[in-house]
């Protein structure tokens, strides 16, 4: 079954398009995970405590969301010890029945892109397949031949990719809105073309697009421009967008979009003495309810 | 001393702008490194043998080039075990007196870009500083706030970055040449602006640019557009460019450019029974002589 079809089934099964971003800002991890904060801890100990936290987050959210999105940068900051925890967290999430979208934003010339596609989607010889992602985010700046190896990997591994089309950050406009058509529009058209060979039974492609929910008017226009493209919508929550801002991202029946929240779920406001699990659990329920009002799914 | 100044000194000391790219395509690593090719080897054993090869390459080239450029993808393909070898190879190269340019092409929203800058340039608490890079390549698609954390890291750690301005691959034209001015020209102007606060005694900035040597006419024009920007020129050798194609990348006295060769140095043609070290050593000498004809340095 294609990535797009598996994802759509998971969204229906969980009854929400909520995606939990696993962004382990070390300073914000709850104090329970003392190894993260201990000034005398080794890098391996800090990384291990970070992994403990993320696996615990996965346990809290697993029955209520279809997917998680670990952010590679926060693992890489602890070097090889951090990457070992990436593998652990990915494995833990997959075993919990979650779809894993690796937020790696890789992009390079063809021969190198092939290595990245192997690293995250198809797996080198001897690598534990449970440490691979269901999908990854990809940076398209290098064009066609930088994307082809990822398309091949999608076919080979029933995997998916999300190509950066319009990012959620303020600086995204600097280059993405240059030109007429804009760079974003050029990339969106390329995403449609790249995705044509990977359309599943759901009618959606396994080649998706990242479109920031912080730009709702552009989101509506890009949704129309990429009618069979699954969207990954960052910007909800800590970055400022709410349910109203993501509404135009959905196709009929709530199909075709995942809405990401990272900091809002991992580091919610806590009442005096409240356990982080209680606060995170409530944050997930709130996000589900908030999105439920605009989602349109069953 | 700023990255740009250190680099310029190293280029002068070694008498060449040749940069050796460490791209460990596993299938092409010499048969001496049996662990890479053994179908029964574990991932850790394969990674370790890959690291043995790259450290040996560093030993062969260290007295004749100023810098090496490990390509992250080929380490990441072996997961955490591969990243551990990245750290080992970076450390080995730095101890050999080489400048290390990490080819990671990262780019993300500000808070995430800060983690990448920390991962590769400034170092999280407890991380061995010898495993950090002198400079990294950066993807600018996300604009200003995705670059700022790298600029801060350059100041803090006397490090450098090379921003993708015009890539060497055929697909690079798809988006980079869109618009008038082109996306590449917009990025080049931003590189100049980003680099203004990081100009060293050499007159060069520590904010550099990647410009493919496979586009010589564009290279000349971009050289003029970014007069104080150190260039990293991929595309020489296996990708088809020769000395004539890189000539216009140099400033007066051979300043301001590094020319990369990866596959041409690591996997040169070998005579029957010839040791790989002999072939690699000859390939370095040939590259030095070839570039010497156009370089213009002392």
């Amino acid at each position: 079954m294609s990535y797009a079809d598996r994802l759509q089934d998971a969204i229906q099964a969980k009854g929400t398009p909520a995606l939990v971003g696993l962004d382990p800002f070390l300073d914000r991890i709850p104090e329970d995970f003392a190894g993260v904060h201990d000034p005398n801890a080794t890098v391996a100990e800090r990384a291990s405590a970070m992994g403990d936290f993320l696996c615990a987050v996965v346990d809290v959210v697993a029955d209520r969301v279809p997917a998680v999105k670990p952010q590679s940068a926060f693992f890489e900051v602890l070097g090889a010890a951090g990457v070992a925890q990436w593998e652990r967290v990915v494995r833990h999430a997959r075993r919990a029945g979650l779809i894993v979208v690796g937020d790696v934003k890789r992009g390079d010339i063809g021969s190198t892109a092939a290595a990245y596609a192997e690293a995250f989607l198809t797996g080198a010889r001897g690598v534990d397949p449970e440490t691979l992602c269901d999908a990854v985010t990809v940076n398209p700046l290098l064009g066609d031949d930088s994307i082809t190896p990822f398309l091949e990997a999608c076919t080979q591994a029933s995997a998916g990719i999300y190509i950066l089309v319009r990012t959620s950050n303020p600086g995204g406009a600097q280059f993405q809105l240059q030109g007429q058509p804009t760079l974003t529009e050029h990339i969106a058209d390329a995403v449609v073309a790249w995705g044509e060979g990977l359309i599943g039974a759901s009618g959606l492609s396994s080649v998706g697009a990242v479109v920031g929910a912080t730009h709702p008017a552009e989101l509506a226009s890009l949704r129309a421009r990429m009618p069979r493209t699954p969207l990954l919508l960052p910007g909800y929550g800590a970055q400022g967008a709410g349910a109203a801002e993501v509404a135009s991202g959905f196709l009929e029946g709530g199909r075709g979009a995942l809405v990401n929240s990272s900091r809002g779920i991992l580091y919610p406001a806590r009442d005096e003495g409240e356990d982080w699990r209680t606060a995170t659990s409530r944050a997930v329920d709130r996000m589900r309810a908030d999105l439920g009002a605009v989602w349109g799914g069953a």
Side-chain angles (χ1 to χ4, degrees), chain A:
Chain A
M1 193 187 288
S2 78
Y3 169 74
D5 292 354
R6 285 193 289 128
L7 173 65
Q8 208 45 55
D9 284 358
I11 291 172
Q12 287 303 124
K14 298 289 177 67
T16 182
L19 170 68
V20 172
L22 303 176
D23 292 15
F25 289 89
L26 291 172
D27 294 344
R28 300 187 67 177
I29 291 177
E31 60 286 350
D32 307 23
F33 300 89
V36 171
H37 306 288
D38 178 356
N40 299 313
T42 64
V43 169
E45 288 165 346
R46 294 185 79 195
S48 180
M50 175 185 82
D52 292 345
F53 169 59
L54 295 172
C55 288
V57 169
V58 165
D59 292 340
V60 170
V61 307
D63 60 343
R64 282 171 287 166
V65 299
V68 291
K69 179 175 74 66
Q71 166 53 256
S72 184
F74 298 104
F75 296 83
E76 292 181 59
V77 79
L78 295 177
V83 175
Q85 295 298 319
W86 165 279
E87 296 176 357
R88 173 189 171 201
V89 171
V90 169
R91 187 190 295 113
H92 189 78
R94 295 191 69 153
R95 287 184 181 172
L98 292 165
I99 284 176
V100 177
V101 180
D103 198 353
V104 301
K105 297 190 177 67
R106 301 299 195 257
D108 215 305
I109 66 170
S111 53
T112 306
Y116 279 129
E118 189 177 4
F120 293 107
L121 299 178
T122 57
R125 176 157 50 77
V127 167
D128 176 0
E130 283 197 308
T131 64
L132 301 173
C133 298
D134 294 286
V136 288
T137 55
V138 173
N139 184 312
L141 181 63
L142 280 79
D144 259 309
D145 59 325
S146 75
I147 302 298
T148 304
F150 285 101
L151 301 179
E152 293 168 355
C154 287
T155 300
Q156 186 187 329
S158 297
I161 55 174
Y162 292 93
I163 292 170
L164 302 183
V165 169
R166 182 72 173 93
T167 59
S168 60
N169 62 316
Q174 184 174 11
F175 303 123
Q176 294 162 26
L177 299 188
Q178 289 286 357
Q180 192 52 251
T182 63
L183 174 60
T184 281
E185 290 166 338
H186 279 297
I187 298 172
D189 294 344
V191 165
V192 170
W194 288 327
E196 276 171 4
L198 282 156
I199 293 174
S202 61
L204 293 167
S205 176
S206 290
V207 178
V210 174
V211 178
T214 43
H215 321 293
E218 292 179 65
L219 171 58
S221 152
L222 290 166
R223 174 71 289 174
R225 201 172 185 115
M226 301 183 285
R228 310 185 99 179
T229 302
L231 302 182
L232 192 169
L233 309 177
Y236 175 92
Q239 288 184 61
E245 282 71 35
V246 302
S248 64
F250 298 108
L251 295 166
E252 197 185 301
R255 296 160 65 248
L258 281 173
V259 180
N260 181 72
S261 179
S262 303
R263 287 169 271 179
I265 305 292
L266 269 61
Y267 319 110
R270 286 149 70 182
D271 295 332
E272 179 80 24
E274 186 180 39
D275 183 70
W276 71 268
R277 281 182 182 78
T278 309
T280 286
S281 185
R282 186 175 55 232
V284 173
D285 286 339
R286 280 198 184 149
M287 183 179 181
R288 285 174 52 101
D290 186 39
L291 293 179
V294 300
W295 175 44

